Amino acid sequence: MPRRVRAVVAVTVAVFAYGTVVHLTQLYLGGLDPYPSMPGWLAVYFVSLTLLDPAAAVLLALRRRAGLVLGVVVLVTDALANAYANYVVDRAGGVTPGRVGQAVITALAVGLLLAAPRIAPWLSGRPLFRRPLADR
C-alpha cells in the first residue's frame, strides 16, 4: 500500500476514533437524552454514531473495503444530519460552533468521497471471518 493511501486511511481512522470519543462523551454527559433539542429520529441517528464510527474505524484499520464504504456513508449522512441540526433545528443566526463543526464534517465527507476510488483498490474485499472449510 503506497504511503499516501496509508496516510489517508490512518487519518480517516483517527477521525472516526475522535468521533467515537465525542459521541461517547455526549452520551455520558447527556444521560438517557443526550440530544434533548433534536427531533427523536435525529437523536437516534447521532446515538447510532457511537457504534458506526468505531465500526468504520476498525474495518478501515483492517484494510477492508466495507470500512471505506461505511466511512463514506457515515460522513456524508453525518454532514447532512448536522446541516439539518444547525440550520433547521437551530435558528440562531451567523456562525456558531455547531456550524463550524458541520463545515468540517462536510469537508471530511467530500474529501473521503473523492479519495475513495483511489483508496479502494488497495483495500481487501475479503470478509473478516472465513467460513470453515467444511462449509465451503
Side-chain angles (χ1 to χ4, degrees):
M1 181 182 286
R3 278 188 211 249
R4 286 190 317 196
V5 171
R6 209 172 321 150
V8 170
V9 170
V11 167
T12 305
V13 168
V15 165
F16 285 116
Y18 173 78
T20 300
V21 171
V22 167
H23 291 288
L24 285 172
T25 301
Q26 290 170 334
L27 276 175
Y28 176 76
L29 295 176
L32 294 176
D33 191 11
Y35 308 99
S37 64
M38 295 296 133
W41 64 270
L42 192 54
V44 167
Y45 172 77
F46 286 137
V47 169
S48 76
L49 292 176
T50 307
L51 299 175
L52 295 173
D53 281 353
V58 168
L59 288 169
L60 273 170
L62 293 172
R63 297 181 178 178
R64 302 288 185 236
R65 279 191 204 119
L68 181 61
V69 171
L70 179 60
V72 168
V73 169
V74 166
L75 282 177
V76 168
T77 59
D78 195 8
L80 292 169
N82 273 285
Y84 186 87
N86 285 288
Y87 292 98
V88 176
V89 176
D90 182 2
R91 303 242 183 230
V95 177
T96 65
R99 290 179 181 164
V100 171
Q102 190 274 331
V104 170
I105 293 167
T106 299
L108 291 168
V110 169
L112 188 57
L113 192 59
L114 293 175
R118 291 175 185 87
I119 296 169
W122 298 100
L123 302 177
S124 170
R126 291 178 295 138
L128 279 177
F129 304 102
R130 293 180 184 257
R131 290 181 293 168
L133 287 174
D135 292 347
R136 292 186 205 179

